[in-house]
Amino acid sequence: MAARRRKRNARAWRTGRRTIALAVWAVLLAGIVYGLYLFGRGHPEDLPWTKLDLAQPVGLFTRGKLVDLNDDYPQCRILMDRAGVAFEPAPAIAAEAGQCGYANGVRLLEAGARTTPFHPRSPPVQCQVAAAIALWEWHVVQPAARRHMKTSLAGYDQLGTYNCRRMYGRADGAWSEHATANAIDISGFRFADGRRVTLLQDWNGTGPDAAAKAAFLREVRDGACDLFATVLSPDYNAAHADHFHLDQADRGAMRGGACR
Ligand SMILES: [Zn+2]
């Protein structure tokens, strides 16, 4: 009796070990295949240790590297220059109160090698937000405009960047990323053929091109999530029914993004 149980236990132990070994091999193999895939893509931004290059395609680590530019204004300006982003430095804003103000602002320009047109004029934002806007336009917004609207982007409508306030304008609680111009609220898009898309009217619109406009807005929202630490859309809450809130909040080493 006891001998049979011992034999059964030994068999169970061997089967268990074989399962664990198989699982380890499966994980290793998946890792190798994924590594080969990344290597094959040849995107430096898929690797955590390469230096950010704004001229490269967006990769797995682009967003975290953009957030890191928060600590390196000179490097951010060098990268923007190198990639041909048209911009000018914006004057520093001294702290009005609490956590407000910034020293690394830039204004995207409407004339230059790679322009980023705002209506009526580009507001100052921290450099890492501007860099993300440029990448968003090249890799996400323009392709989405061509795909869904059959035209090209001509400009953005925005509701503001710098605003010395706490989140949702409350009297206490966490400071908004707007308090340091580390955020921008985008309320709509203008196209070369004269059409416009606004979040308020077209997120769940019913008029002409409603499906194309809704698809365009969702595609640019989803694409923003690879470039901005925080993306809040009408899907998040009623406070965001009329704009995308995009910011580069630094959440530390894990770099978790918020995409809603
Ligand atoms: Zn906002």
PDB file of all heavy atoms in Angstrom, residues 118-149:
ATOM      1  N   PHE A 118      -1.440  76.099 -34.536  1.00  0.00           N
ATOM      2  CA  PHE A 118      -2.509  76.214 -33.553  1.00  0.00           C
ATOM      3  C   PHE A 118      -3.393  77.385 -33.923  1.00  0.00           C
ATOM      4  O   PHE A 118      -2.947  78.352 -34.517  1.00  0.00           O
ATOM      5  CB  PHE A 118      -1.939  76.447 -32.151  1.00  0.00           C
ATOM      6  CG  PHE A 118      -1.580  75.188 -31.453  1.00  0.00           C
ATOM      7  CD1 PHE A 118      -0.340  74.623 -31.627  1.00  0.00           C
ATOM      8  CD2 PHE A 118      -2.498  74.559 -30.629  1.00  0.00           C
ATOM      9  CE1 PHE A 118      -0.012  73.440 -30.997  1.00  0.00           C
ATOM     10  CE2 PHE A 118      -2.171  73.379 -29.997  1.00  0.00           C
ATOM     11  CZ  PHE A 118      -0.924  72.819 -30.177  1.00  0.00           C
ATOM     12  N   HIS A 119      -4.645  77.290 -33.574  1.00  0.00           N
ATOM     13  CA  HIS A 119      -5.560  78.378 -33.844  1.00  0.00           C
ATOM     14  C   HIS A 119      -5.950  79.029 -32.536  1.00  0.00           C
ATOM     15  O   HIS A 119      -6.442  78.350 -31.657  1.00  0.00           O
ATOM     16  CB  HIS A 119      -6.808  77.838 -34.547  1.00  0.00           C
ATOM     17  CG  HIS A 119      -7.754  78.913 -34.930  1.00  0.00           C
ATOM     18  ND1 HIS A 119      -7.629  79.606 -36.113  1.00  0.00           N
ATOM     19  CD2 HIS A 119      -8.810  79.457 -34.282  1.00  0.00           C
ATOM     20  CE1 HIS A 119      -8.589  80.507 -36.192  1.00  0.00           C
ATOM     21  NE2 HIS A 119      -9.311  80.433 -35.099  1.00  0.00           N
ATOM     22  N   PRO A 120      -5.767  80.349 -32.345  1.00  0.00           N
ATOM     23  CA  PRO A 120      -5.115  81.213 -33.311  1.00  0.00           C
ATOM     24  C   PRO A 120      -3.592  81.191 -33.185  1.00  0.00           C
ATOM     25  O   PRO A 120      -2.895  81.539 -34.124  1.00  0.00           O
ATOM     26  CB  PRO A 120      -5.658  82.597 -32.936  1.00  0.00           C
ATOM     27  CG  PRO A 120      -5.921  82.510 -31.482  1.00  0.00           C
ATOM     28  CD  PRO A 120      -6.283  81.082 -31.182  1.00  0.00           C
ATOM     29  N   ARG A 121      -3.048  80.800 -32.034  1.00  0.00           N
ATOM     30  CA  ARG A 121      -1.603  80.869 -31.857  1.00  0.00           C
ATOM     31  C   ARG A 121      -1.196  79.828 -30.818  1.00  0.00           C
ATOM     32  O   ARG A 121      -1.930  79.575 -29.874  1.00  0.00           O
ATOM     33  CB  ARG A 121      -1.229  82.280 -31.373  1.00  0.00           C
ATOM     34  CG  ARG A 121       0.234  82.477 -31.215  1.00  0.00           C
ATOM     35  CD  ARG A 121       0.656  83.925 -31.314  1.00  0.00           C
ATOM     36  NE  ARG A 121       2.110  83.933 -31.431  1.00  0.00           N
ATOM     37  CZ  ARG A 121       2.913  84.488 -30.562  1.00  0.00           C
ATOM     38  NH1 ARG A 121       2.427  85.133 -29.527  1.00  0.00           N
ATOM     39  NH2 ARG A 121       4.216  84.417 -30.738  1.00  0.00           N
ATOM     40  N   SER A 122      -0.032  79.250 -31.022  1.00  0.00           N
ATOM     41  CA  SER A 122       0.427  78.205 -30.123  1.00  0.00           C
ATOM     42  C   SER A 122       0.746  78.770 -28.742  1.00  0.00           C
ATOM     43  O   SER A 122       1.501  79.718 -28.615  1.00  0.00           O
ATOM     44  CB  SER A 122       1.671  77.563 -30.726  1.00  0.00           C
ATOM     45  OG  SER A 122       2.199  76.650 -29.813  1.00  0.00           O
ATOM     46  N   PRO A 123       0.161  78.185 -27.687  1.00  0.00           N
ATOM     47  CA  PRO A 123       0.438  78.666 -26.332  1.00  0.00           C
ATOM     48  C   PRO A 123       1.735  78.045 -25.803  1.00  0.00           C
ATOM     49  O   PRO A 123       2.113  76.968 -26.248  1.00  0.00           O
ATOM     50  CB  PRO A 123      -0.758  78.143 -25.543  1.00  0.00           C
ATOM     51  CG  PRO A 123      -1.115  76.870 -26.250  1.00  0.00           C
ATOM     52  CD  PRO A 123      -0.745  77.031 -27.694  1.00  0.00           C
ATOM     53  N   PRO A 124       2.414  78.721 -24.860  1.00  0.00           N
ATOM     54  CA  PRO A 124       3.628  78.113 -24.301  1.00  0.00           C
ATOM     55  C   PRO A 124       3.291  76.861 -23.488  1.00  0.00           C
ATOM     56  O   PRO A 124       2.302  76.847 -22.745  1.00  0.00           O
ATOM     57  CB  PRO A 124       4.204  79.200 -23.387  1.00  0.00           C
ATOM     58  CG  PRO A 124       3.303  80.367 -23.475  1.00  0.00           C
ATOM     59  CD  PRO A 124       2.099  80.026 -24.268  1.00  0.00           C
ATOM     60  N   VAL A 125       4.107  75.834 -23.674  1.00  0.00           N
ATOM     61  CA  VAL A 125       4.000  74.605 -22.871  1.00  0.00           C
ATOM     62  C   VAL A 125       5.402  74.178 -22.496  1.00  0.00           C
ATOM     63  O   VAL A 125       6.373  74.588 -23.136  1.00  0.00           O
ATOM     64  CB  VAL A 125       3.367  73.420 -23.647  1.00  0.00           C
ATOM     65  CG1 VAL A 125       1.870  73.510 -23.703  1.00  0.00           C
ATOM     66  CG2 VAL A 125       3.976  73.263 -25.019  1.00  0.00           C
ATOM     67  N   GLN A 126       5.520  73.314 -21.480  1.00  0.00           N
ATOM     68  CA  GLN A 126       6.837  72.751 -21.167  1.00  0.00           C
ATOM     69  C   GLN A 126       7.324  71.982 -22.392  1.00  0.00           C
ATOM     70  O   GLN A 126       6.547  71.382 -23.144  1.00  0.00           O
ATOM     71  CB  GLN A 126       6.756  71.834 -19.949  1.00  0.00           C
ATOM     72  CG  GLN A 126       6.652  72.596 -18.632  1.00  0.00           C
ATOM     73  CD  GLN A 126       7.117  71.749 -17.460  1.00  0.00           C
ATOM     74  OE1 GLN A 126       8.104  71.006 -17.556  1.00  0.00           O
ATOM     75  NE2 GLN A 126       6.415  71.856 -16.347  1.00  0.00           N
ATOM     76  N   CYS A 127       8.648  71.986 -22.545  1.00  0.00           N
ATOM     77  CA  CYS A 127       9.266  71.460 -23.767  1.00  0.00           C
ATOM     78  C   CYS A 127       8.866  70.008 -24.056  1.00  0.00           C
ATOM     79  O   CYS A 127       8.609  69.649 -25.207  1.00  0.00           O
ATOM     80  CB  CYS A 127      10.778  71.596 -23.641  1.00  0.00           C
ATOM     81  SG  CYS A 127      11.664  71.205 -25.159  1.00  0.00           S
ATOM     82  N   GLN A 128       8.761  69.173 -23.009  1.00  0.00           N
ATOM     83  CA  GLN A 128       8.450  67.752 -23.255  1.00  0.00           C
ATOM     84  C   GLN A 128       7.010  67.564 -23.737  1.00  0.00           C
ATOM     85  O   GLN A 128       6.708  66.563 -24.389  1.00  0.00           O
ATOM     86  CB  GLN A 128       8.733  66.892 -22.017  1.00  0.00           C
ATOM     87  CG  GLN A 128       7.875  67.173 -20.800  1.00  0.00           C
ATOM     88  CD  GLN A 128       8.427  68.307 -19.965  1.00  0.00           C
ATOM     89  OE1 GLN A 128       9.364  68.987 -20.351  1.00  0.00           O
ATOM     90  NE2 GLN A 128       7.841  68.516 -18.784  1.00  0.00           N
ATOM     91  N   VAL A 129       6.134  68.516 -23.436  1.00  0.00           N
ATOM     92  CA  VAL A 129       4.770  68.463 -23.981  1.00  0.00           C
ATOM     93  C   VAL A 129       4.806  68.836 -25.463  1.00  0.00           C
ATOM     94  O   VAL A 129       4.186  68.178 -26.307  1.00  0.00           O
ATOM     95  CB  VAL A 129       3.824  69.411 -23.204  1.00  0.00           C
ATOM     96  CG1 VAL A 129       2.432  69.417 -23.831  1.00  0.00           C
ATOM     97  CG2 VAL A 129       3.743  69.000 -21.742  1.00  0.00           C
ATOM     98  N   ALA A 130       5.581  69.883 -25.785  1.00  0.00           N
ATOM     99  CA  ALA A 130       5.695  70.317 -27.185  1.00  0.00           C
ATOM    100  C   ALA A 130       6.303  69.210 -28.049  1.00  0.00           C
ATOM    101  O   ALA A 130       5.844  68.964 -29.174  1.00  0.00           O
ATOM    102  CB  ALA A 130       6.552  71.580 -27.266  1.00  0.00           C
ATOM    103  N   ALA A 131       7.324  68.532 -27.529  1.00  0.00           N
ATOM    104  CA  ALA A 131       7.961  67.448 -28.287  1.00  0.00           C
ATOM    105  C   ALA A 131       6.945  66.340 -28.574  1.00  0.00           C
ATOM    106  O   ALA A 131       6.902  65.778 -29.672  1.00  0.00           O
ATOM    107  CB  ALA A 131       9.155  66.895 -27.506  1.00  0.00           C
ATOM    108  N   ALA A 132       6.111  66.042 -27.576  1.00  0.00           N
ATOM    109  CA  ALA A 132       5.090  64.994 -27.760  1.00  0.00           C
ATOM    110  C   ALA A 132       4.029  65.441 -28.765  1.00  0.00           C
ATOM    111  O   ALA A 132       3.549  64.630 -29.553  1.00  0.00           O
ATOM    112  CB  ALA A 132       4.448  64.643 -26.415  1.00  0.00           C
ATOM    113  N   ILE A 133       3.678  66.731 -28.752  1.00  0.00           N
ATOM    114  CA  ILE A 133       2.694  67.240 -29.722  1.00  0.00           C
ATOM    115  C   ILE A 133       3.237  67.077 -31.139  1.00  0.00           C
ATOM    116  O   ILE A 133       2.519  66.649 -32.055  1.00  0.00           O
ATOM    117  CB  ILE A 133       2.351  68.724 -29.442  1.00  0.00           C
ATOM    118  CG1 ILE A 133       1.588  68.858 -28.129  1.00  0.00           C
ATOM    119  CG2 ILE A 133       1.519  69.307 -30.594  1.00  0.00           C
ATOM    120  CD1 ILE A 133       1.441  70.301 -27.642  1.00  0.00           C
ATOM    121  N   ALA A 134       4.543  67.390 -31.313  1.00  0.00           N
ATOM    122  CA  ALA A 134       5.145  67.259 -32.648  1.00  0.00           C
ATOM    123  C   ALA A 134       5.098  65.803 -33.113  1.00  0.00           C
ATOM    124  O   ALA A 134       4.676  65.507 -34.233  1.00  0.00           O
ATOM    125  CB  ALA A 134       6.579  67.780 -32.624  1.00  0.00           C
ATOM    126  N   LEU A 135       5.486  64.870 -32.239  1.00  0.00           N
ATOM    127  CA  LEU A 135       5.455  63.437 -32.608  1.00  0.00           C
ATOM    128  C   LEU A 135       4.028  62.974 -32.875  1.00  0.00           C
ATOM    129  O   LEU A 135       3.774  62.190 -33.788  1.00  0.00           O
ATOM    130  CB  LEU A 135       6.079  62.590 -31.496  1.00  0.00           C
ATOM    131  CG  LEU A 135       7.580  62.729 -31.301  1.00  0.00           C
ATOM    132  CD1 LEU A 135       8.044  61.852 -30.141  1.00  0.00           C
ATOM    133  CD2 LEU A 135       8.335  62.358 -32.562  1.00  0.00           C
ATOM    134  N   TRP A 136       3.115  63.468 -32.068  1.00  0.00           N
ATOM    135  CA  TRP A 136       1.696  63.104 -32.227  1.00  0.00           C
ATOM    136  C   TRP A 136       1.204  63.544 -33.599  1.00  0.00           C
ATOM    137  O   TRP A 136       0.542  62.786 -34.309  1.00  0.00           O
ATOM    138  CB  TRP A 136       0.910  63.793 -31.113  1.00  0.00           C
ATOM    139  CG  TRP A 136      -0.521  63.397 -30.949  1.00  0.00           C
ATOM    140  CD1 TRP A 136      -1.050  62.139 -30.961  1.00  0.00           C
ATOM    141  CD2 TRP A 136      -1.625  64.287 -30.696  1.00  0.00           C
ATOM    142  NE1 TRP A 136      -2.402  62.196 -30.733  1.00  0.00           N
ATOM    143  CE2 TRP A 136      -2.782  63.494 -30.561  1.00  0.00           C
ATOM    144  CE3 TRP A 136      -1.740  65.665 -30.545  1.00  0.00           C
ATOM    145  CZ2 TRP A 136      -4.051  64.033 -30.295  1.00  0.00           C
ATOM    146  CZ3 TRP A 136      -2.986  66.207 -30.282  1.00  0.00           C
ATOM    147  CH2 TRP A 136      -4.128  65.402 -30.164  1.00  0.00           C
ATOM    148  N   GLU A 137       1.565  64.764 -33.959  1.00  0.00           N
ATOM    149  CA  GLU A 137       1.115  65.273 -35.259  1.00  0.00           C
ATOM    150  C   GLU A 137       1.685  64.435 -36.413  1.00  0.00           C
ATOM    151  O   GLU A 137       0.949  64.034 -37.310  1.00  0.00           O
ATOM    152  CB  GLU A 137       1.540  66.731 -35.413  1.00  0.00           C
ATOM    153  CG  GLU A 137       1.089  67.320 -36.739  1.00  0.00           C
ATOM    154  CD  GLU A 137       1.382  68.810 -36.823  1.00  0.00           C
ATOM    155  OE1 GLU A 137       1.321  69.490 -35.790  1.00  0.00           O
ATOM    156  OE2 GLU A 137       1.684  69.278 -37.933  1.00  0.00           O
ATOM    157  N   TRP A 138       2.986  64.159 -36.374  1.00  0.00           N
ATOM    158  CA  TRP A 138       3.615  63.441 -37.493  1.00  0.00           C
ATOM    159  C   TRP A 138       3.140  62.001 -37.602  1.00  0.00           C
ATOM    160  O   TRP A 138       2.856  61.511 -38.683  1.00  0.00           O
ATOM    161  CB  TRP A 138       5.138  63.423 -37.343  1.00  0.00           C
ATOM    162  CG  TRP A 138       5.751  64.779 -37.211  1.00  0.00           C
ATOM    163  CD1 TRP A 138       5.210  65.964 -37.626  1.00  0.00           C
ATOM    164  CD2 TRP A 138       7.001  65.092 -36.613  1.00  0.00           C
ATOM    165  NE1 TRP A 138       6.065  66.982 -37.311  1.00  0.00           N
ATOM    166  CE2 TRP A 138       7.155  66.495 -36.697  1.00  0.00           C
ATOM    167  CE3 TRP A 138       8.002  64.325 -36.003  1.00  0.00           C
ATOM    168  CZ2 TRP A 138       8.285  67.143 -36.201  1.00  0.00           C
ATOM    169  CZ3 TRP A 138       9.126  64.971 -35.518  1.00  0.00           C
ATOM    170  CH2 TRP A 138       9.268  66.356 -35.613  1.00  0.00           C
ATOM    171  N   HIS A 139       3.099  61.315 -36.447  1.00  0.00           N
ATOM    172  CA  HIS A 139       2.889  59.864 -36.473  1.00  0.00           C
ATOM    173  C   HIS A 139       1.446  59.441 -36.252  1.00  0.00           C
ATOM    174  O   HIS A 139       1.106  58.286 -36.518  1.00  0.00           O
ATOM    175  CB  HIS A 139       3.778  59.185 -35.421  1.00  0.00           C
ATOM    176  CG  HIS A 139       5.229  59.392 -35.650  1.00  0.00           C
ATOM    177  ND1 HIS A 139       5.897  58.837 -36.718  1.00  0.00           N
ATOM    178  CD2 HIS A 139       6.143  60.141 -34.988  1.00  0.00           C
ATOM    179  CE1 HIS A 139       7.170  59.213 -36.682  1.00  0.00           C
ATOM    180  NE2 HIS A 139       7.338  60.012 -35.658  1.00  0.00           N
ATOM    181  N   VAL A 140       0.641  60.334 -35.724  1.00  0.00           N
ATOM    182  CA  VAL A 140      -0.725  59.929 -35.364  1.00  0.00           C
ATOM    183  C   VAL A 140      -1.782  60.806 -36.040  1.00  0.00           C
ATOM    184  O   VAL A 140      -2.637  60.303 -36.771  1.00  0.00           O
ATOM    185  CB  VAL A 140      -0.926  59.972 -33.819  1.00  0.00           C
ATOM    186  CG1 VAL A 140      -2.358  59.577 -33.461  1.00  0.00           C
ATOM    187  CG2 VAL A 140       0.088  59.066 -33.123  1.00  0.00           C
ATOM    188  N   VAL A 141      -1.732  62.125 -35.809  1.00  0.00           N
ATOM    189  CA  VAL A 141      -2.837  62.996 -36.240  1.00  0.00           C
ATOM    190  C   VAL A 141      -2.901  63.128 -37.763  1.00  0.00           C
ATOM    191  O   VAL A 141      -3.969  62.971 -38.355  1.00  0.00           O
ATOM    192  CB  VAL A 141      -2.749  64.391 -35.566  1.00  0.00           C
ATOM    193  CG1 VAL A 141      -3.957  65.235 -35.962  1.00  0.00           C
ATOM    194  CG2 VAL A 141      -2.684  64.251 -34.047  1.00  0.00           C
ATOM    195  N   GLN A 142      -1.739  63.395 -38.394  1.00  0.00           N
ATOM    196  CA  GLN A 142      -1.761  63.512 -39.861  1.00  0.00           C
ATOM    197  C   GLN A 142      -2.167  62.200 -40.537  1.00  0.00           C
ATOM    198  O   GLN A 142      -3.026  62.217 -41.425  1.00  0.00           O
ATOM    199  CB  GLN A 142      -0.398  63.984 -40.398  1.00  0.00           C
ATOM    200  CG  GLN A 142      -0.112  65.470 -40.177  1.00  0.00           C
ATOM    201  CD  GLN A 142      -0.961  66.410 -41.034  1.00  0.00           C
ATOM    202  OE1 GLN A 142      -1.942  66.010 -41.646  1.00  0.00           O
ATOM    203  NE2 GLN A 142      -0.592  67.680 -41.054  1.00  0.00           N
ATOM    204  N   PRO A 143      -1.590  61.067 -40.145  1.00  0.00           N
ATOM    205  CA  PRO A 143      -2.048  59.807 -40.760  1.00  0.00           C
ATOM    206  C   PRO A 143      -3.543  59.551 -40.536  1.00  0.00           C
ATOM    207  O   PRO A 143      -4.233  59.084 -41.442  1.00  0.00           O
ATOM    208  CB  PRO A 143      -1.198  58.731 -40.067  1.00  0.00           C
ATOM    209  CG  PRO A 143       0.031  59.456 -39.613  1.00  0.00           C
ATOM    210  CD  PRO A 143      -0.421  60.852 -39.271  1.00  0.00           C
ATOM    211  N   ALA A 144      -4.044  59.901 -39.344  1.00  0.00           N
ATOM    212  CA  ALA A 144      -5.475  59.693 -39.066  1.00  0.00           C
ATOM    213  C   ALA A 144      -6.330  60.636 -39.910  1.00  0.00           C
ATOM    214  O   ALA A 144      -7.419  60.264 -40.355  1.00  0.00           O
ATOM    215  CB  ALA A 144      -5.767  59.899 -37.580  1.00  0.00           C
ATOM    216  N   ALA A 145      -5.830  61.865 -40.126  1.00  0.00           N
ATOM    217  CA  ALA A 145      -6.572  62.824 -40.965  1.00  0.00           C
ATOM    218  C   ALA A 145      -6.670  62.300 -42.394  1.00  0.00           C
ATOM    219  O   ALA A 145      -7.724  62.382 -43.025  1.00  0.00           O
ATOM    220  CB  ALA A 145      -5.884  64.187 -40.940  1.00  0.00           C
ATOM    221  N   ARG A 146      -5.572  61.747 -42.868  1.00  0.00           N
ATOM    222  CA  ARG A 146      -5.595  61.209 -44.240  1.00  0.00           C
ATOM    223  C   ARG A 146      -6.513  59.992 -44.331  1.00  0.00           C
ATOM    224  O   ARG A 146      -7.282  59.847 -45.271  1.00  0.00           O
ATOM    225  CB  ARG A 146      -4.176  60.864 -44.697  1.00  0.00           C
ATOM    226  CG  ARG A 146      -3.378  62.105 -45.115  1.00  0.00           C
ATOM    227  CD  ARG A 146      -2.100  61.725 -45.826  1.00  0.00           C
ATOM    228  NE  ARG A 146      -1.112  61.186 -44.899  1.00  0.00           N
ATOM    229  CZ  ARG A 146      -0.254  61.949 -44.205  1.00  0.00           C
ATOM    230  NH1 ARG A 146      -0.252  63.251 -44.348  1.00  0.00           N
ATOM    231  NH2 ARG A 146       0.610  61.400 -43.380  1.00  0.00           N
ATOM    232  N   ARG A 147      -6.411  59.118 -43.318  1.00  0.00           N
ATOM    233  CA  ARG A 147      -7.176  57.872 -43.369  1.00  0.00           C
ATOM    234  C   ARG A 147      -8.680  58.126 -43.258  1.00  0.00           C
ATOM    235  O   ARG A 147      -9.457  57.595 -44.027  1.00  0.00           O
ATOM    236  CB  ARG A 147      -6.712  56.936 -42.242  1.00  0.00           C
ATOM    237  CG  ARG A 147      -7.401  55.601 -42.238  1.00  0.00           C
ATOM    238  CD  ARG A 147      -6.637  54.509 -41.515  1.00  0.00           C
ATOM    239  NE  ARG A 147      -5.875  54.971 -40.371  1.00  0.00           N
ATOM    240  CZ  ARG A 147      -4.534  54.936 -40.303  1.00  0.00           C
ATOM    241  NH1 ARG A 147      -3.829  54.471 -41.302  1.00  0.00           N
ATOM    242  NH2 ARG A 147      -3.896  55.366 -39.224  1.00  0.00           N
ATOM    243  N   HIS A 148      -9.067  58.934 -42.289  1.00  0.00           N
ATOM    244  CA  HIS A 148     -10.502  59.068 -41.998  1.00  0.00           C
ATOM    245  C   HIS A 148     -11.138  60.284 -42.655  1.00  0.00           C
ATOM    246  O   HIS A 148     -12.299  60.238 -43.030  1.00  0.00           O
ATOM    247  CB  HIS A 148     -10.730  59.125 -40.485  1.00  0.00           C
ATOM    248  CG  HIS A 148     -10.276  57.890 -39.777  1.00  0.00           C
ATOM    249  ND1 HIS A 148     -10.923  56.686 -39.914  1.00  0.00           N
ATOM    250  CD2 HIS A 148      -9.217  57.659 -38.958  1.00  0.00           C
ATOM    251  CE1 HIS A 148     -10.292  55.769 -39.188  1.00  0.00           C
ATOM    252  NE2 HIS A 148      -9.250  56.334 -38.610  1.00  0.00           N
ATOM    253  N   MET A 149     -10.384  61.389 -42.770  1.00  0.00           N
ATOM    254  CA  MET A 149     -10.964  62.632 -43.293  1.00  0.00           C
ATOM    255  C   MET A 149     -10.565  62.886 -44.747  1.00  0.00           C
ATOM    256  O   MET A 149     -11.039  63.833 -45.355  1.00  0.00           O
ATOM    257  CB  MET A 149     -10.538  63.821 -42.415  1.00  0.00           C
ATOM    258  CG  MET A 149     -10.880  63.662 -40.925  1.00  0.00           C
ATOM    259  SD  MET A 149     -12.651  63.431 -40.599  1.00  0.00           S
ATOM    260  CE  MET A 149     -13.285  65.010 -41.132  1.00  0.00           C
TER     261      MET A 149
END
